[in-house]
Amino acid sequence: MYINIALPKGRLGKKSYELLKKIGYSCKELEEENRKLVFTSEENKVRYFWVKPSDVPVYVEKGIADIGVAGVDVLLESEADVYDMLDLGFGKCYFAIAAPKGWKSTNRTLKIATKYINYSRKHFEKIERKVELIKLNGSVELAPIVGLSDAIVDIVETGATLKENNLEIVEKLEDISARVIVNKVNYKFKNETIEKVLGDMKGEL
Amino acid sequence: MYINIALPKGRLGKKSYELLKKIGYSCKELEEENRKLVFTSEENKVRYFWVKPSDVPVYVEKGIADIGVAGVDVLLESEADVYDMLDLGFGKCYFAIAAPKGWKSTNRTLKIATKYINYSRKHFEKIERKVELIKLNGSVELAPIVGLSDAIVDIVETGATLKENNLEIVEKLEDISARVIVNKVNYKFKNETIEKVLGDMKGEL
């Protein structure tokens, strides 16, 4: 039985593929890196979908892919109904609230710019803090500088982007790493195949 | 008085800047193309924000930029509350529903994959067609091929991407071109400055 795997374009996907290759799921077609987005290895009975990181949970939730690799940031934002089965331990970073250096919070409604609108809404609801969320798709660190927001919610890896823009972390939030997610229905029907992949990945880490 | 202008990164932004340069709003700093995102010309009293295309309506709606340039696709999807003041006549393409060649619609709930979820929801509500919308962030043309959806809603320029993926247009929807949008409040308070820019752009087209 074929296993269908959704991998995120970019560094995280490449690292995940290297791991999958080690446990027997190499795919010659994928390594030739042409412009395709679906790659099949008849030999190893695996099909790869090479998609935007934020689309991986969709492919897995809808069952097009049995398993996928996604960062916790993508998972929390997508709210996809999938199993989160394995922490790969790489792709580490964290969510944080950041603001201009020396900034002090006040009681008025804060303006928060973020790419992670679902995640941020949940966070501020949980702590019962009223905020106005402003959805941006890029360069979130620009928002407090130009007066679009008081602070931002973003993912932080080294902190270099924050520093460059004279921002500092106000609060560290959830830790992020790459996870293996699994489609709930397919997990039942292809249990043996999926468990083997998960077990072998775990063994290799 | 300074005029604040949000331009979309990429071809559309460059073309818009060329037009603005012709009417007296050149900005040396911007032409040097460093890694910055905000560029000021003290001489010409203009400040440029160089942002993601989909963020332009946010910058204008919130009044950080007085005017901005955005495609109709971005405007319809963002649902930002701004004035749409001038059709620049470039950046032409159109929204379309596309499906695998030979595909026939049926009465059951259609699955539609799209980046333009707000626009699509409105369209299918308007024609009273029940659909399941699947939000993707990239490679939408892949969805019908892998069975994630029956059809897609996307923007079409030459149709080459559709052809490559063996898809064809089922229905042509709204025409798209680049528009100059204006912040509603700033339009009142900086009316003379903004009207001059709009008038000069119109004259130059």
Side-chain angles (χ1 to χ4, degrees), chain A residues 9 35 37-38 49 52 54-55 58-59 62 64 132 134-139 142 146-148 164, chain B residues 9 35 37-38 49 51-52 54-55 58-59 62 64 132 134-139 142 146-148 164:
Chain A
K9 285 181 185 177
R35 281 187 60 210
L37 303 160
V38 186
F49 301 96
K52 268 230 171 179
S54 51
D55 288 344
V58 181
Y59 274 80
K62 302 291 180 187
I64 302 303
E132 180 194 339
I134 297 159
K135 167 82 196 247
L136 288 179
N137 295 294
S139 309
L142 186 61
V146 300
L148 186 56
E164 249 175 58
Chain B
K9 285 181 186 176
R35 280 187 61 210
L37 303 161
V38 187
F49 301 96
V51 300
K52 268 232 171 178
S54 51
D55 288 344
V58 181
Y59 275 78
K62 301 292 181 188
I64 303 303
E132 182 195 338
I134 297 158
K135 166 83 196 245
L136 288 179
N137 294 294
S139 310
L142 187 61
V146 300
L148 187 55
E164 249 175 57

Side-chain angles (χ1 to χ4, degrees), chain A residues 8 30 33 41-42 106-107 113 122-123 130-132 156 163-164 185-186 188:
Chain A
L30 192 150
E33 278 202 64
S41 165
E42 307 285 349
T106 64
N107 276 331
K122 272 196 185 158
H123 171 75
K130 219 182 155 185
V131 294
E132 180 194 339
V156 180
K163 211 172 171 185
E164 249 175 58
V185 174
N186 298 12
K188 277 193 197 123

Side-chain angles (χ1 to χ4, degrees), chain B residues 22 45 53 64 70 72 74 85 93 130 154 181-182 185 189:
Chain B
K22 276 188 198 158
K45 299 260 177 282
I64 303 303
V72 170
V74 168
M85 299 288 275
C93 52
K130 219 182 154 184
D154 209 357
I181 56 174
V182 176
V185 175
F189 289 103

Side-chain angles (χ1 to χ4, degrees), chain B:
Chain B
M1 193 178 279
Y2 271 83
I3 181 120
N4 299 300
I5 304 176
L7 292 183
K9 285 181 186 176
R11 206 174 39 164
L12 213 62
K14 277 179 191 158
K15 221 163 166 178
S16 306
Y17 173 69
E18 288 308 316
L19 181 61
L20 286 155
K21 191 178 167 180
K22 276 188 198 158
I23 62 163
Y25 295 97
S26 67
C27 177
K28 224 179 277 173
E29 216 185 21
L30 192 149
E31 291 181 33
E32 286 161 8
E33 278 201 63
N34 49 35
R35 280 187 61 210
K36 282 176 68 178
L37 303 161
V38 187
F39 305 95
T40 308
S41 165
E42 307 284 350
E43 195 193 342
N44 296 320
K45 299 260 177 282
V46 61
R47 189 176 298 114
Y48 286 102
F49 301 96
W50 194 246
V51 300
K52 268 232 171 178
S54 51
D55 288 344
V56 168
V58 181
Y59 275 78
V60 175
E61 185 182 36
K62 301 292 181 188
I64 303 303
D66 306 308
I67 75 173
V69 173
V72 170
D73 52 331
V74 168
L75 288 180
L76 288 178
E77 184 58 19
S78 84
E79 303 176 331
D81 189 21
V82 296
Y83 291 131
D84 177 354
M85 299 288 275
L86 182 62
D87 188 342
L88 289 173
F90 51 76
K92 281 193 175 176
C93 52
Y94 55 93
F95 275 118
I97 305 174
K101 269 181 191 154
W103 176 81
K104 292 270 171 275
S105 185
T106 63
N107 276 332
R108 64 177 177 76
T109 302
L110 288 182
K111 288 186 191 174
I112 306 280
T114 186
K115 290 184 204 170
Y116 300 91
I117 204 100
N118 295 326
Y119 170 74
S120 301
R121 188 182 301 114
K122 273 196 185 158
H123 171 75
F124 290 107
E125 273 172 16
K126 199 174 62 190
I127 63 165
E128 296 182 3
R129 179 74 165 100
K130 219 182 154 184
V131 294
E132 182 195 338
L133 293 174
I134 297 158
K135 166 83 196 245
L136 288 179
N137 294 294
S139 310
V140 176
E141 66 281 2
L142 187 61
I145 298 171
V146 300
L148 187 55
S149 75
D150 300 297
I152 63 173
V153 169
D154 209 357
I155 59 172
V156 180
E157 205 177 328
T158 63
T161 307
L162 295 182
K163 212 172 168 184
E164 249 175 57
N165 290 283
N166 221 24
L167 302 174
E168 63 183 5
I169 291 170
V170 175
E171 197 185 339
K172 196 181 159 298
L173 306 173
E174 263 84 357
D175 279 316
I176 295 168
S177 62
R179 304 296 174 95
V180 180
I181 56 174
V182 176
N183 175 275
K184 289 189 168 182
V185 175
N186 297 14
Y187 185 61
K188 277 193 197 122
F189 289 103
K190 292 173 136 178
N191 189 272
E192 212 176 309
T193 315
I194 292 172
E195 276 295 352
K196 190 177 177 323
V197 177
L198 292 171
D200 288 352
M201 285 179 108
K202 218 169 171 173
E204 194 60 44
L205 286 173

